[in-house]
Amino acid sequence: MLALLLRRLVQAVPLLLGVIVLNFTLIQMVPGTFLDVMTAEQQVTDQAMIDRLRVTYGVDQPPAIQLAKYIGSVAKLDLGYSYRHNLPVIDVLWAHLPATLLLMFAALLIAVLVGSAAGIVSALKVNTWWDTAVSVFAVLCFAAPSFWLGIMLIILFCVKLGWFPVGGMVTIGLDGGWWTQAVDILHHLFLPALTLGLFYSANYARVMRASMLEVSRMDHVRTAHAKGLKHSAVVLRHMARNAMLPVVTLFGLQLGAVLGGSIVVEAVFSWPGIGGVLFDSVMSRNYPVVLGILVLSSVVVILANILIDLLYARLDPRIKAH
């Protein structure tokens, strides 16, 4: 297990380097700079000041030199400076990234639980109305755009029933201890996480159903039934655990997609994550923040996939660290 961890960490270095080079190259190809935006907004009109800002932020140098300096800065955990926020990029991200990660992992938890449960029920009740209901549920969740589903949930649970707040992460002016604040955050988190989680639960339901049907035909399952074990014990201990392997793989593959999809949900529910910061940074050509978000998101996905590899090896002892 330790050898697998070390090998994955070593492999992550060139992968992260490739991500930085690719993103930096793509951003260099985008027309316009932050100086053009500042000039259009009449923030800076003096040409001498514009030239000084170009030197200050290093945009007067060739792209290759800028890239080399940026890679060196990232190696020292320095993601640059945001002229828009007048703060280091790492401080801007640290203020918004926890909210995005909370939403992302809460949505993935809902997706895995709901999708896996639906897939198990569909496999155990194959070719029945239960199976049909799960299939219809999966199609509806997958076909419905996340922003539309979020708006429908807001209309139903916020406007009509008044059970949940319309948006935000915390109640303004709330007094209380950490427990009260935690419950308030969970209250605000439920609808955004449900919106994002239902969309991805459709994939888990289909994968879990197919995996359960495949495992149910294996010899060890028939042996467990022949020994007289209870049906629930056979399903949970001998079928569900082995059927979870494809689900774990899908979990790792979907981390990047969920991180990107959370940006849309953040806009619908006014969730204070990196989605709004990323949009504002793109529109204002605040490229250090854009690069910082892409780099930090890549690190999160890489580390999460390493954990998935370790979990995969834990679930299936036959897997060796090659």
Side-chain angles (χ1 to χ4, degrees):
M1 192 71 70
L2 181 59
L4 176 62
L5 175 60
L6 295 177
R7 187 174 294 110
R8 292 293 183 267
L9 290 176
V10 172
Q11 293 173 350
V13 174
L15 177 59
L16 182 60
L17 182 61
V19 169
I20 294 175
V21 173
L22 178 60
N23 290 326
F24 188 90
T25 303
L26 292 176
I27 286 180
Q28 288 294 322
M29 296 171 63
V30 177
T33 64
F34 72 96
L35 294 174
D36 298 327
V37 176
M38 295 177 68
T39 302
E41 295 177 351
Q42 300 295 318
Q43 298 182 27
V44 179
T45 56
D46 183 47
Q47 185 60 41
M49 179 60 70
I50 294 176
D51 295 337
R52 182 176 298 177
L53 289 174
R54 288 177 58 86
V55 175
T56 301
Y57 289 100
V59 295
D60 61 319
Q61 299 175 344
I65 296 179
Q66 296 182 42
L67 175 59
K69 289 186 176 181
Y70 186 76
I71 293 175
S73 298
V74 172
K76 295 183 292 186
L77 302 181
D78 180 11
L79 298 179
Y81 193 83
S82 172
Y83 68 89
R84 191 80 169 180
H85 302 87
N86 198 26
L87 289 171
V89 173
I90 192 66
D91 292 342
V92 177
L93 298 183
W94 182 249
H96 296 86
L97 186 63
T100 296
L101 294 179
L102 178 62
L103 173 60
M104 183 179 72
F105 286 108
L108 282 174
L109 179 62
I110 292 176
V112 172
L113 293 178
V114 173
S116 299
I120 292 175
V121 171
S122 180
L124 295 179
K125 305 290 185 179
V126 63
N127 296 328
T128 64
W129 71 270
W130 283 96
D131 190 15
T132 303
V134 171
S135 299
V136 172
F137 166 78
V139 170
L140 291 177
C141 290
F142 188 77
S146 56
F147 68 88
W148 177 85
L149 182 58
I151 293 174
M152 293 301 102
L153 291 179
I154 288 176
I155 294 175
L156 176 61
F157 292 104
C158 302
V159 179
K160 297 296 184 180
L161 300 177
W163 291 355
F164 297 96
V166 176
M169 184 176 176
V170 295
T171 302
I172 299 176
L174 177 66
D175 294 327
W178 67 270
W179 176 254
T180 303
Q181 295 178 1
V183 172
D184 183 62
I185 292 176
L186 292 177
H187 191 212
H188 286 78
L189 175 66
F190 181 78
L191 285 185
L194 183 64
T195 301
L196 193 59
L198 287 179
F199 177 78
Y200 292 100
S201 65
N203 290 329
Y204 291 103
R206 291 198 296 266
V207 171
M208 191 65 179
R209 178 184 183 275
S211 183
M212 284 286 292
L213 291 176
E214 181 180 358
V215 172
S216 65
R217 294 189 291 267
M218 292 184 175
D219 293 337
H220 71 278
V221 175
R222 289 195 293 266
T223 302
H225 282 296
K227 288 182 176 180
L229 295 179
K230 293 183 179 179
H231 183 66
S232 59
V234 174
V235 171
L236 295 178
R237 297 178 185 177
H238 299 277
M239 295 176 61
R241 178 176 178 179
N242 291 281
M244 283 297 294
L245 294 177
V247 173
V248 172
T249 302
L250 182 62
F251 182 87
L253 294 175
Q254 282 191 336
L255 282 172
V258 174
L259 186 58
S262 64
I263 295 176
V264 177
V265 176
E266 288 175 7
V268 174
F269 289 92
S270 300
W271 189 260
I274 62 174
V277 178
L278 179 61
F279 179 79
D280 177 72
S281 299
V282 170
M283 297 302 296
S284 62
R285 304 297 192 273
N286 192 4
Y287 293 142
V289 174
V290 177
L291 272 174
I293 291 175
L294 295 175
V295 170
L296 203 56
S297 301
S298 302
V299 171
V300 171
V301 173
I302 289 172
L303 293 179
N305 276 276
I306 291 176
L307 292 177
I308 293 299
D309 289 341
L310 297 177
L311 179 60
Y312 203 95
R314 179 68 177 178
L315 290 175
D316 192 346
R318 297 171 299 177
I319 298 176
K320 297 180 181 180
H322 293 294

